């Protein structure tokens, strides 16, 4: 059947349409994306303001039209940290449902980590052994580890690239003092979780998902997205450490000129690099591999598993 996954994230609202069959890879058929920046539309009380809710409803309606045009039979709508952590989340969800008939499922951070881990496991297979999976979103960082399809440990930290940029890096270019303060904050947050994972032993394979990691890998010399899904892409910690001071000295417009960096994400790629560098350092990772599949694919795979068991 043709499935649509509607992902209301901290940065974007993304509709992914796939042709899905139990026991087979979901085949992408269409992608519809809108930069909404929900995480940046929160007011001082942590609520999504009326303008932000109106924009969200309009964006969801546009995605529904795209889904209908592409013949989607079933829609899997979900929301992540920006909606999850909004102080008026219930009100926002009720308005979206009332005006679009879409009932967004709000994923917990742990659910995000587990579903992303499932996608990575299916992509790399059992031969990858024990997997450590890292995922930097707009609002949060997810970390998961395990041998099976269900991770042994999964955590979500409030270290998303958009959130950190808005809260810690107010100037353009960034103030080096602000960068150092953010670096300390990021590493302190990640360090608290390392023990939870280290008791399971060293991973056999470390992978990363998300647009942030893909862009960092591209900056560091990985293949372009147009070269296809099946080209191996890696990110080395040494390369990342070389790039952090260069990113710090650049303006957002200058970063947008780098290979693979979109103008919409150029302002937050520095914060994302600090999170990636901190995670790789504290977990002792020299090289990680980029996984083309992430949370949306995990949601699809879980739904296919449920269909197969019905």
């Amino acid at each position: 059947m043709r499935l649509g996954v509607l992902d209301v994230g901290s940065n974007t609202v993304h509709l992914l349409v796939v042709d899905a069959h139990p026991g087979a890879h979901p085949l992408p058929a269409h992608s519809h994306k809108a930069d909404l920046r929900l995480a940046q539309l929160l007011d001082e009380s942590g609520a999504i303001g009326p303008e932000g809710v109106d924009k969200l409803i309009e964006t969801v309606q546009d995605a529904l039209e795209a889904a209908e045009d592409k013949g989607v039979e079933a829609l899997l709508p979900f929301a992540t940290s920006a909606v999850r952590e909004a102080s008026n989340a219930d009100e926002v969800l009720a308005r979206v449902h009332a005006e679009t008939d879409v009932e967004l499922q709000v994923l917990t951070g742990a659910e995000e980590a587990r579903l992303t881990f499932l996608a990575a496991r299916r992509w790399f297979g059992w031969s990858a052994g024990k997997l450590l999976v890292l995922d930097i979103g707009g609002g949060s960082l997810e970390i998961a580890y395990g041998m099976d399809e269900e991770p042994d440990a999964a955590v979500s930290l409030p270290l998303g690239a958009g959130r950190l940029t808005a809260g810690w890096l107010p100037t353009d270019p960034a103030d080096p003092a602000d960068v150092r303060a953010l670096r300390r904050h990021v590493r302190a947050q990640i360090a608290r979780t390392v023990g939870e994972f280290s008791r399971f032993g060293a991973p056999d394979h470390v992978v990363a998902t998300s647009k942030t990691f893909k862009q960092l890998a591209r900056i560091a010399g990985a293949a372009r997205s147009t070269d296809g899904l099946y080209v191996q892409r890696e990110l080395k910690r040494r390369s990342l450490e070389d790039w952090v001071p260069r990113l710090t000295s650049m303006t957002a417009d200058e970063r947008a000129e780098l290979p693979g960096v979109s103008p919409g994400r150029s302002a937050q790629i520095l914060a994302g690099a600090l999170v990636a560098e901190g995670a790789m350092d504290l977990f002792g990772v020299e090289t990680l591999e980029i996984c083309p599949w992430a949370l949306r694919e995990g949601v699809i795979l879980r739904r296919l598993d449920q269909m197969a068991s019905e």
Side-chain angles (χ1 to χ4, degrees):
M1 66 187 304
R2 179 157 280 196
L3 292 176
V5 178
L6 181 61
D7 175 1
V8 177
S10 298
N11 283 322
T12 60
V13 175
H14 190 166
L15 171 71
L16 176 64
V17 177
V18 300
D19 291 320
H21 310 275
H25 276 202
L27 299 174
H30 179 69
S31 178
H32 176 89
K33 189 186 304 183
D35 287 326
L36 189 57
R37 310 289 174 197
L38 267 183
Q40 298 176 23
L41 297 176
L42 301 178
D43 62 24
E44 293 181 357
S45 69
I48 301 174
E51 181 182 355
V53 179
D54 289 343
K55 287 182 178 179
L56 173 58
I57 289 170
E58 180 182 347
T59 304
V60 169
Q61 289 171 334
D62 289 343
L64 287 176
E65 291 179 10
E68 182 178 328
D69 289 346
K70 297 302 177 182
V72 168
E73 298 174 58
L75 187 69
L76 308 175
F78 67 90
T80 56
S81 64
V83 173
R84 179 172 69 235
E85 296 168 14
S87 61
N88 62 336
D90 290 343
E91 176 189 332
V92 172
L93 294 170
R95 270 202 64 194
V96 171
H97 187 217
E99 299 191 33
T100 69
D101 205 31
V102 170
E103 190 167 353
L104 290 172
Q105 176 190 1
V106 180
L107 300 179
T108 67
E111 286 172 334
E112 282 191 60
R114 288 196 291 268
L115 288 165
T116 302
F117 184 90
L118 171 63
R121 170 59 72 195
R122 293 282 178 91
W123 181 268
F124 288 104
W126 299 111
S127 62
K130 292 177 287 187
L131 281 181
L132 175 64
V133 180
L134 306 172
D135 182 3
I136 302 172
S140 58
L141 162 69
E142 276 69 51
I143 308 170
Y145 174 102
M147 183 72 183
D148 300 315
E149 291 195 338
E150 183 68 23
D152 296 312
V155 300
S156 178
L157 301 174
L159 298 177
R163 177 202 296 269
L164 296 179
T165 301
W168 291 80
L169 302 176
T171 63
D172 184 29
D175 185 325
D178 291 338
V179 174
R180 287 194 297 272
L182 176 55
R183 184 178 186 273
R184 288 193 298 269
H185 170 73
V186 164
R187 286 171 177 256
Q189 291 277 315
I190 295 173
R192 295 174 186 169
T193 71
V194 171
E196 182 176 345
F197 291 88
S198 61
R199 63 192 176 93
F200 295 106
D204 298 308
H205 200 56
V206 182
V207 303
T209 72
S210 76
K211 193 71 170 180
T212 294
F213 269 115
K214 290 175 182 177
Q215 291 186 345
L216 291 171
R218 179 73 185 102
I219 290 171
R224 299 170 298 180
S225 59
T226 53
D227 291 340
L229 290 179
Y230 300 102
V231 175
Q232 185 177 15
R233 295 172 175 86
E234 293 183 339
L235 176 62
K236 295 184 182 299
R237 191 172 86 200
R238 181 175 297 177
S239 296
L240 190 54
E241 290 171 345
D242 289 341
W243 268 103
V244 167
R246 297 166 69 179
L247 292 172
T248 299
S249 67
M250 292 179 174
T251 65
D253 287 343
E254 289 170 337
R255 293 185 206 127
E257 298 297 320
L258 295 171
V261 178
S262 61
R265 290 178 182 262
S266 61
Q268 64 186 46
I269 194 68
L270 171 57
L274 291 170
V275 175
E277 180 193 35
M280 293 180 75
D281 188 7
L282 290 165
F283 281 97
V285 177
E286 295 299 329
T287 304
L288 56 75
E289 187 172 354
I290 303 300
C291 179
W293 281 1
L295 177 59
R296 285 182 289 274
E297 287 77 12
V299 170
I300 293 166
L301 293 167
R302 179 63 51 82
R303 177 62 182 136
L304 290 177
D305 290 347
Q306 291 169 347
M307 289 169 56
S309 64
E310 291 174 354

